[in-house]
Structures are given as C-alpha cells and as structure tokens.
Amino acid sequence: MNRHAALQLREAYNANVFSVPELKAGEAGVCSVCGCGGVAYQIGDSGPREGRGLNRRTLAWQSTAHAGGPHLGPADTRQERGHAESGRRIALEQAILSRNDRQARQNRMDFAQRGIRAINLMSGPGAGKTSWLVRTLEALPEAMPAAVIEGDQQTDLDADRIRATGVPAVQINTGKGCHLDAAMVAAGSARLGPASDSLLFIENVGNLVCPAAFDLGETAKVVLLSVTEGQDKPLKYPDIFAAADLLVITKSDLLPHVEFDPQIAHGFAQRVNPKLSMLLTSARSGEGITEWLAWLAALPRGTSARMEEIPGG
Amino acid sequence: MHEMALAEEVRRIVEEVALAQSSRRVASVVLEIGELAAVEVDALRFCLDLALHGGAAEGASLEFVSEPGEGICPHCGARGPLHARLDPCARCAGYGVRPVAGTAMRVKAVEVA
Ligand SMILES: Nc1nc2c(ncn2[C@@H]2O[C@H](COP(=O)(O)OP(=O)(O)OP(=O)(O)O)[C@@H](O)[C@H]2O)c(=O)[nH]1
Ligand SMILES: [Mg+2]
Ligand SMILES: [Zn+2]
Ligand SMILES: [Zn+2]
Ligand SMILES: [Zn+2]
C-alpha cells in the first residue's frame, strides 16, 4: 500500500477536511486511498447512508486494482507470519471505548452532584433537532433553566439559533465529524457552566449510526425521527433505537402529505426496545410540547434514566 | 459505527501497553468484536492499518475474535443465541430480545516483541 497517501488520508480524517466523490460499485474512478485508477468496489456493506464527514461509506470505496487485499496487502502478508515470532503476550481485556466510558461516568457524577439533567438529542441529519430545541426553550417555564451544547460539524448556525432564544449555548467543534464523545461534552459543559438543577440539552451530530455507541454521561438519550424520513428507519438503524429512552416523532404537521404511520414506526422501534415510549411532535404546530415538558420535568436527578448499559460499552 | 474513532482508540491503548512494557514494537493485537457490536470488521481492519501507521504497532498482526451474541426474551424468558438485534425469540417468536452477550468491543491481548 502507498503509505504516504494512506497517512495523508488519516491526517485528512483527523482534520475533517476529507471528501471523496461518491462512487457506485462498478463505476470507474480514482482510488480514494492511493490515487490509482480503476473500478470502485465496496468493502463491507450497510455503511451509514447519512451523516457527514468521513464515515464508513467514504472509506469503503476503493479500487478493484487492490481486490483481494485492498491497501492491506503488506500487513496481511505479515499477519500470516505473526505468530511465528515469540514475544510477551499481555492479556488486556480492555474495552476499546474504555476511555470514553470513563469520562462518561465522570460526567454523570458531575451532573448528578449539581442536579443537572443532560439530554442527548440524536437523529439523522435534518430531522428537526434544532427546531424542536428552539421550540422547547421558548416554552420552558422560568423555573426550569436550560443550557445547550451544539454538536454541529462546521457551522455556528445552530448555536446562533439557540442563543436567539436567550439560552446560553456552546458550539462543539466535532473535528472528527460524525458524533460527540464524552470528552467533548465535558469540555462544552465546562465552557458553559450550566446552573445547578438546570436542563443541559446536547444536540448530537446528525447521524443515526455512531452516536448510539458513545456514552456521554447523559441522563437520557432521545432519538428523533421525522415523518419525512420513512417509518422503517428503526429497522435500518436498530442500535440507536435500542439505546434510546424516548422516541420523538417530529414534523407531525407534515403527516397529511407523507406515508408515515407513527404507530408503525413506534412498533418497529419497540422490536429492539420494548419499553420505548413515543411522543408525536411538531416544532411548527407545537403538537406534543406539553407532554415533552412533562417528560423533561420527570427526569430523575442524579441517575441515568436507564439502568441498562448501552451496547458496546 | 465509527471504525476510524475505534481504530484511534486501539492505537492509544496499544501504545500505552508498549510504553508500559518498555517495548518499541508490538507484534500482534487481538481484538474481540462481538457479533452484536455493529462494527464492520473489514472497515475496522482498514482503519487500523491507517491508525497504527508510524507507531509501535505498525504492521502488527491483527487477530479478530468474535463473541457470539446471546439474548434474553422479555416475553418467555428464554436465553439463547442472538445473531442480530432485530431477530425474534427462537422459542416464542416475540421481539425485543435483550442482548446479554456479544456487544463488546475489546482489545483482548497485545503481544510485544
Ligand atoms: N414542516 C416542518 N418542518 C420542520 C419542523 N421542524 C423542522 N423543520 C424543518 O426541517 C429542516 C431541518 O430542521 P433542523 O431543526 O435544522 O434539523 P436538525 O436535526 O437540527 O438538523 P442538523 O442539525 O443539520 O442535523 C428545516 O428546514 C426546518 O425548517 C416541523 O416541525 N415541521
Ligand atoms: Mg441542528
Ligand atoms: Zn488504490
Ligand atoms: Zn462517528
Ligand atoms: Zn420468547
């Protein structure tokens, strides 16, 4: 493999400036890794079809010129011989995300001590997280102070929309793109300094895949699904619906124009999360806001709403 | 699932071990990816090849072991194999089987040269 190009890819990934033209399998193009020409093929399937930044989809396209060991050739060859070498074997059994999980536990403790309830809002891009959040902040009674951590990738736009309501907001530069992690939330919270006993809303990056695996130390995870996205989303992205404490269906004002049955979507989500409850909402009409405020008010102080561990934790 | 983020964490863990063992070369890394972990092993392998570049584990042999998925049915209480989150219970065909094994992503072992 071309090490130089690969390293550049990794640096580009870390700098979040990566972009690869999307190719369909069989299309001719330039390899995203080493720049060789050829026909694209896909490593693995079922990558995220949404979300921005470098994800499995953009990583997956490579030239058939490498078929049989795409850019893994030298390493693969070494693997065959790996065990012949004698060395010290250290048993670890360490969770790959252990650092994140540790930080998440710390966040949870910090929030609990200050009576802060943190709500992780997750959805695909454009499902209406910011709009619903703005509506929420306008409706919150004064007795329920709030602050917002915005996880948009590039722009400050969402944070500006929040600040326009008078509620403090910080924009987290996700850099790596497609999800927030516990360290980013700790940093955001430190910058914000949310008041004791307040609600801390965390708008995750629009992505139905990654955020499911990253514990932020939140009190509750809310997954939003808009009626324009299709009712079968829970079947396509089961992990995020499995991790959620509440399903919020958004843009209900559009129901007359789309083929979307909230009960069916809810039923699909309950296949992986039988206790999951659902709220039907619209930022436009205000439907569901009363129930949502009641749900927020009932959030426990100082614990996770859900005792069960998140998958992969 | 973000394989690149995982790969960077694996690098961090492996570098820590190499440092603690005063070793400059890691010969092999054994990773356990549960059947229900929603990780594409091919994609992770590809990302690791990039992430490990320039470090102690560059070129290390990567071994993947899978932990079989297992779940408990909320309806009939049966415990059994679960190959995908959306699979119904093998005994009563009910949905909502709760995973109890196979969700882990771990660095199981590291071999230093
Ligand atoms: N009809 C209708 N449109 C809505 C509603 N809520 C949001 N929208 C529209 O949906 C689009 C996306 O809304 P946002 O609130 O920016 O969605 P988001 O989830 O924050 O988007 P990202 O942060 O980019 O992932 C905008 O054009 C909104 O005007 C709603 O309740 N009804
Ligand atoms: Mg937004
Ligand atoms: Zn190539
Ligand atoms: Zn991600
Ligand atoms: Zn059953």
Side-chain angles (χ1 to χ4, degrees):
Chain A
M1 118 183 230
N2 181 330
R3 287 278 165 189
H4 178 72
L7 201 56
Q8 274 182 335
L9 174 73
R10 178 165 171 250
E11 270 164 19
Y13 158 76
N14 283 327
N16 192 30
V17 295
F18 188 85
S19 82
V20 182
E22 280 174 36
L23 295 178
K24 292 193 179 64
E27 263 178 65
V30 176
C31 173
S32 62
V33 175
C34 77
C36 69
V39 176
Y41 82 104
Q42 199 174 17
I43 304 178
D45 198 7
S46 71
R49 294 290 178 267
E50 285 154 283
R52 290 156 296 186
L54 180 62
N55 57 30
R56 185 162 43 185
R57 178 185 55 191
T58 47
L59 261 181
W61 293 113
Q62 285 181 50
S63 165
T64 43
H66 309 279
H71 304 288
L72 302 171
D76 277 353
T77 326
R78 271 194 297 275
Q79 275 159 41
E80 254 76 278
R81 294 188 261 113
H83 284 291
E85 294 175 41
S86 65
R88 272 170 297 147
R89 190 185 154 101
I90 293 109
L92 280 183
E93 301 293 344
Q94 184 173 347
I96 293 179
L97 293 179
S98 53
R99 182 174 60 157
N100 187 73
D101 294 342
R102 220 167 24 243
Q103 180 66 57
R105 276 195 297 276
Q106 182 67 49
N107 292 356
R108 194 162 274 125
M109 255 162 51
D110 291 349
F111 294 149
Q113 266 166 15
R114 291 146 68 201
I116 291 169
R117 284 137 301 154
I119 302 105
N120 180 3
L121 302 172
M122 310 179 292
S123 81
K129 297 179 294 299
T130 309
S131 304
W132 184 240
L133 200 41
V134 166
R135 183 89 193 197
T136 303
L137 299 174
E138 287 166 354
L140 273 181
E142 239 169 84
M144 291 170 78
V148 176
I149 294 175
E150 272 294 332
D152 204 8
Q153 271 184 316
Q154 326 246 346
T155 68
D156 237 26
L157 293 177
D158 280 355
D160 289 343
R161 285 163 72 191
I162 299 297
R163 288 191 200 103
T165 68
V167 169
V170 291
Q171 183 85 39
I172 296 289
N173 180 5
T174 55
K176 289 184 181 182
C178 52
H179 60 271
L180 288 178
D181 65 30
M184 294 172 187
V185 166
S189 172
R191 260 165 66 204
L192 259 182
S196 294
D197 298 317
S198 63
L199 294 170
L200 176 61
F201 293 98
I202 304 164
E203 180 178 336
N204 219 313
V205 180
N207 177 345
L208 281 172
V209 182
C210 300
F214 290 83
D215 186 3
L216 304 181
E218 69 281 85
T219 312
K221 289 180 199 285
V222 175
V223 63
L224 294 87
L225 175 64
S226 65
V227 303
T228 52
E229 286 175 89
Q231 59 198 19
D232 56 352
K233 274 285 187 305
L235 299 181
K236 292 179 177 163
Y237 301 92
D239 293 272
I240 203 153
F241 291 89
D245 297 295
L246 177 70
L247 168 62
V248 169
I249 307 275
T250 59
K251 310 189 190 179
S252 69
D253 58 291
L254 297 177
L255 275 175
H257 311 287
V258 293
E259 217 158 291
F260 184 99
D261 184 336
Q263 298 310 327
I264 290 179
H266 187 206
F268 285 160
Q270 284 186 319
R271 285 193 189 176
V272 286
N273 191 346
K275 287 186 212 133
L276 187 66
S277 43
M278 185 259 283
L279 277 183
L280 190 59
T281 73
S282 164
R284 188 146 302 172
S285 73
E287 179 174 10
I289 193 78
T290 312
E291 294 83 350
W292 168 241
L293 292 185
W295 184 85
L296 289 172
L299 281 175
R301 277 161 218 255
T303 54
S304 165
R306 194 161 190 216
M307 291 303 144
E308 205 180 287
E309 279 294 300
I310 64 149
Chain B
M1 187 54 203
H2 201 155
E3 281 77 4
M4 201 63 190
L6 295 180
E8 294 287 352
E9 285 302 298
V10 170
R11 176 190 170 110
R12 197 186 52 76
I13 291 167
V14 167
E15 294 287 343
E16 262 174 24
V17 172
L19 195 68
Q21 300 291 322
S22 319
S23 171
R24 263 182 293 154
R25 211 177 88 70
V26 170
S28 73
V29 180
V30 185
L31 297 163
E32 175 179 315
I33 303 296
E35 189 177 8
L36 302 171
V39 172
E40 211 62 68
V41 169
D42 275 351
L44 180 57
R45 189 185 277 280
F46 174 70
C47 291
L48 279 167
D49 197 47
L50 299 182
L52 299 179
H53 180 84
E58 175 168 4
S61 128
L62 300 177
E63 191 186 321
F64 288 88
V65 297
S66 172
E67 180 198 35
E70 234 180 274
I72 294 180
C73 174
H75 311 288
C76 75
R79 182 182 174 127
L82 182 67
H83 302 301
R85 273 191 178 278
L86 280 161
D87 284 355
C89 169
R91 191 203 280 175
C92 76
Y95 284 108
V97 178
R98 187 168 59 85
V100 291
T103 57
M105 304 179 283
R106 293 194 193 99
V107 181
K108 269 186 93 67
V110 170
E111 199 179 338
V112 294

